[in-house]
Amino acid sequence: MKLVDGRPESTEGRLDKEIRVYDFLDSLGVKYQRVDHEAAMTMEACEEIDRTLSEGVDSGVAICKNLFLCNRQETDFYLLLMPGDKPFKTKYLSAQIGSSRLSFAKPEYMERYLDITPGSVSVMGLMNDKDNKVRLLIDEDVLQQEYFACHPCINTSSLRFRTADLVEKVIPAFGHEPVIVILMQA
C-alpha cells in the first residue's frame, strides 16, 4: 500500500463517481494524496489504510467515521463526520440539531442523494446532492487535525488533504453549510 500524489494515471476500471471526485478536487486546486486498497467496509479494515494516510504527518490526520442518518419520518437526512475512535451516541447529537429519534438511513436514500453505497460513505458524496437534501454535521474534533481523510465515493481508495482545504474550498463548493457539533466521549 503506497501513498501517491493526485489522481490515478489511468481511469481504467474506476467508476465515474470516483473520477468526478478527482475532477472536483482538481478544479478547486486542492492538493491531495491517494492510496488504493482492497474494499474497506469497516473501521477495523481501515487500520492499515490509516497508518498509510498518516505517513509523514506529525500533527495528525482526521480519519473519520461517516454516518448517514435520518429522522424517524425519513424526511431529514444528515451526514455526520466524526473521529473514527469516538463512540456515537444519538442523545448527544439529537438535542444539538433539533431532531429526535435519529437512526441510520436506508441505503436507497444514500444512493439517491449522495450516489454512494454502504461502506463508501464520504463527505465527497455531497457534491452529488444538488438539492441540499442532506445536512452536513461535523464533530469539532475532526477540525482539530491538520489533515483530513475520506473515500472518493468508493471504498477501494482513500484520500488525504489539508483540513483547511476541506473547510475553505471543498465544503463551500458543495453549497452545504456545515453544522459543528460536540459529541461526548463515552
Side-chain angles (χ1 to χ4, degrees):
M1 196 171 307
K2 183 180 176 192
L3 198 59
V4 296
D5 291 332
R7 67 189 308 126
E9 289 181 21
S10 169
T11 59
E12 187 174 324
R14 297 194 184 254
L15 298 176
D16 287 342
K17 59 185 163 186
E18 177 186 4
I19 302 307
R20 286 195 312 266
V21 170
Y22 304 134
D23 291 343
F24 178 77
L25 291 173
D26 292 346
S27 75
L28 296 174
V30 173
K31 293 188 184 315
Y32 56 94
Q33 292 177 298
R34 185 190 85 257
V35 61
D36 295 327
H37 48 75
E38 295 295 320
M41 298 297 282
T42 65
M43 289 305 292
E44 293 77 25
C46 292
E47 287 179 15
E48 182 181 357
I49 299 163
D50 294 353
R51 282 191 296 276
T52 302
L53 290 169
S54 297
E55 286 177 8
V57 176
D58 295 330
S59 58
V61 177
I63 310 291
C64 292
K65 267 191 247 188
N66 297 269
L67 305 179
F68 188 59
L69 307 167
C70 67
N71 63 355
R72 184 177 57 188
Q73 298 82 7
E74 298 181 340
T75 55
D76 296 326
F77 297 90
Y78 307 91
L79 177 61
L80 171 64
L81 308 183
M82 62 182 287
D85 59 354
K86 198 177 223 186
F88 174 61
K89 305 277 186 195
T90 59
K91 69 180 180 177
Y92 297 124
L93 180 61
S94 295
Q96 293 178 64
I97 63 170
S99 179
S100 61
R101 295 274 182 112
L102 289 174
S103 62
F104 293 100
K106 295 177 183 171
E108 54 262 30
Y109 292 120
M110 189 183 308
E111 291 181 50
R112 180 184 310 162
Y113 298 130
L114 303 178
D115 191 20
I116 295 178
T117 55
S120 301
V121 181
S122 168
V123 68
M124 299 309 296
L126 291 175
M127 65 185 244
N128 301 312
D129 182 25
K130 303 297 185 202
D131 295 326
N132 287 338
K133 295 288 188 186
V134 180
R135 286 181 59 196
L136 175 60
L137 311 174
I138 305 174
D139 180 82
E140 66 177 359
D141 290 342
V142 169
L143 302 175
Q144 303 307 311
Q145 301 297 321
E146 183 179 359
Y147 287 91
F148 176 81
C150 64
H151 291 307
C153 294
I154 51 103
N155 64 359
T156 54
S157 289
S158 296
L159 305 175
R160 174 179 87 182
F161 51 89
R162 293 194 174 279
T163 303
D165 285 337
L166 173 72
V167 173
E168 297 165 11
K169 296 178 180 179
V170 174
I171 293 172
F174 292 151
H176 286 66
E177 186 67 34
V179 174
I180 307 305
V181 297
I182 301 169
L183 301 176
M184 307 300 289
Q185 290 284 7

